């Protein structure tokens, strides 16, 4: 039995082939277009060899590999743009530095995540840190919408119940809203994409959060602190450089505007009934 797989998602361009017969399992792997490497393993019996080989194939498929037929020509991988690469680098850093992305919210610690992220970025050069900072500012700008502001109000602002209608205070500070958007970004790419489409995905059941701690100001300084770990004489050089190169990304600019005015008070409950219902219940306990 021989099976062939490739992974050309995002930055990957790899092949992984497996062949097994009797007690012998052969695996070849590497970058597409190269000979790669080969490993050979002998199991105690044929049944164990089959089971372990099938287990490996399932793992590879979960990691993004797809099967191709033996005589199929491996397709030429499309070259990614600089923006596509920057996006991949950004989310890769966010997600690889989060040791608790599959865990219950009670196990997650914002400060630990930010510290791990800083250490992760410090392994790379200045160019990668500039890409991270530029992408961070772009993502923060993407979240500067009325819908995300309304999510912040529902999660953070005081509210009262008047005859079954929940009425939310409308105070939303610029700094607080910025730190809130940082917190959303730390949840990863899948959540980011979901929340931009519908803020009620917050209570879809896919995600687990501590809504009592919704600020992550430290994310704003990660790239500079990562750079500082290897450069004692530089302060804010990454952030300052990105400001100079991409002034349109300035998340502190007074000229930015939302897509519309955020709704407040009693208007939020009919707009987001499931979100308001679940969050109010959580916050009332």
């Amino acid at each position: 039995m021989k099976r062939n797989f490739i992974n050309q998602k995002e930055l990957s361009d790899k092949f992984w082939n497996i062949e097994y017969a009797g007690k012998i399992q052969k695996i070849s792997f590497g970058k597409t277009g190269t000979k790669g490497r080969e490993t050979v393993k002998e199991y105690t019996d044929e049944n164990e060899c089959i089971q372990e080989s099938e287990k490996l194939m399932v793992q590879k498929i979960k990691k993004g590999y797809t099967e191709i037929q033996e005589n199929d020509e491996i397709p030429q991988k499309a070259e990614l743009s600089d923006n596509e690469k920057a996006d991949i680098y950004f989310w890769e850093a966010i997600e690889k530095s989060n040791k608790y992305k599959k865990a219950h919210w009670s196990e997650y610690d914002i400060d630990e995540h930010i510290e791990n992220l800083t250490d992760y970025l410090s392994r790379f050069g200045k160019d990668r840190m500039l890409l991270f900072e530029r992408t961070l500012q772009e993502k923060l700008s993407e979240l500067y919408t009325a819908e995300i502001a309304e999510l912040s109000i529902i999660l953070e602002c005081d509210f009262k119940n008047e005859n079954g209608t929940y009425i939310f205070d409308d105070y939303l500070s610029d700094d607080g809203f910025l730190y809130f958007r940082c917190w959303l970004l730390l949840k990863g790419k899948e959540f980011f994409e979901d929340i931009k489409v519908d803020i009620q995905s917050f209570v879809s059941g896919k995600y687990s959060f501590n809504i009592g701690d919704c600020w992550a100001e430290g994310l704003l300084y990660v790239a500079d602190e990562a750079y500082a770990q290897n450069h004692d004489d530089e302060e804010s050089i990454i952030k300052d450089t990105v400001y100079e190169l991409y002034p349109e990304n300035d998340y502190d600019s007074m000229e930015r505007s939302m897509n519309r005015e955020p709704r407040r008070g009693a208007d939020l409950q009919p707009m987001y009934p499931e979100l308001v219902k679940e969050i109010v219940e959580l916050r009332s306990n």
Side-chain angles (χ1 to χ4, degrees), residues 57-226:
M57 286 186 281
V58 170
Q59 291 173 355
K60 287 297 176 181
I61 291 171
K62 286 182 178 179
K63 291 182 178 180
Y65 282 79
T66 56
E67 187 170 6
I68 61 171
Q69 299 304 309
E70 185 173 359
N71 296 324
D72 287 351
E73 183 177 347
I74 296 178
Q76 182 83 23
K77 181 176 171 63
E79 184 66 28
L80 297 176
S81 68
D82 290 342
N83 286 340
E84 288 173 323
K85 290 178 182 178
D87 192 77
I88 291 168
Y89 289 144
F90 177 81
W91 291 119
E92 183 179 78
I94 293 286
E95 292 171 3
K96 283 190 173 182
S97 58
N98 182 7
K99 296 181 179 180
Y100 303 102
K101 52 180 172 288
K102 300 293 185 181
H104 186 265
W105 65 262
S106 60
E107 299 180 40
Y108 175 78
D109 183 87
I110 292 174
D111 294 334
E112 181 182 0
H113 189 177
I114 290 174
E115 183 178 339
N116 292 340
L117 177 56
T118 303
D119 291 340
Y120 177 86
L121 285 176
S122 70
R123 305 175 200 166
F124 301 98
K126 182 179 178 181
D127 287 346
R128 180 74 73 91
M129 297 177 198
L130 289 171
L131 281 177
F132 180 90
E133 179 64 29
R134 188 191 85 187
T135 308
L136 169 63
Q137 295 188 19
E138 290 173 350
K139 301 300 181 189
L140 288 171
S141 295
E142 285 185 56
L143 291 178
Y144 191 74
T145 67
E147 292 80 9
I148 299 300
E150 288 157 356
L151 176 62
S152 177
I153 291 170
I154 293 168
L155 264 62
E156 300 185 281
C157 289
D158 292 336
F159 62 90
K160 58 185 177 181
N161 184 347
E162 291 189 359
N163 300 319
T165 297
Y166 292 103
I167 302 173
F168 291 84
D169 288 350
D170 58 5
Y171 177 71
L172 193 67
S173 73
D174 287 342
D175 286 345
F177 186 45
L178 174 58
Y179 305 155
F180 176 75
R181 285 178 282 148
C182 289
W183 180 74
L184 295 180
L185 290 179
L186 286 177
K187 307 304 137 192
K189 181 177 181 179
E190 183 180 5
F191 173 75
F192 174 79
E193 298 295 346
D194 282 351
I195 212 72
K196 285 200 304 177
V197 174
D198 181 5
I199 65 170
Q200 292 198 111
S201 61
F202 193 92
V203 292
S204 64
K206 290 170 63 177
Y207 309 103
S208 175
F209 305 131
N210 176 11
I211 63 170
D213 189 6
C214 298
W215 286 7
E217 179 185 1
L219 183 60
L220 299 173
Y221 316 112
V222 160
D224 277 315
E225 290 182 0

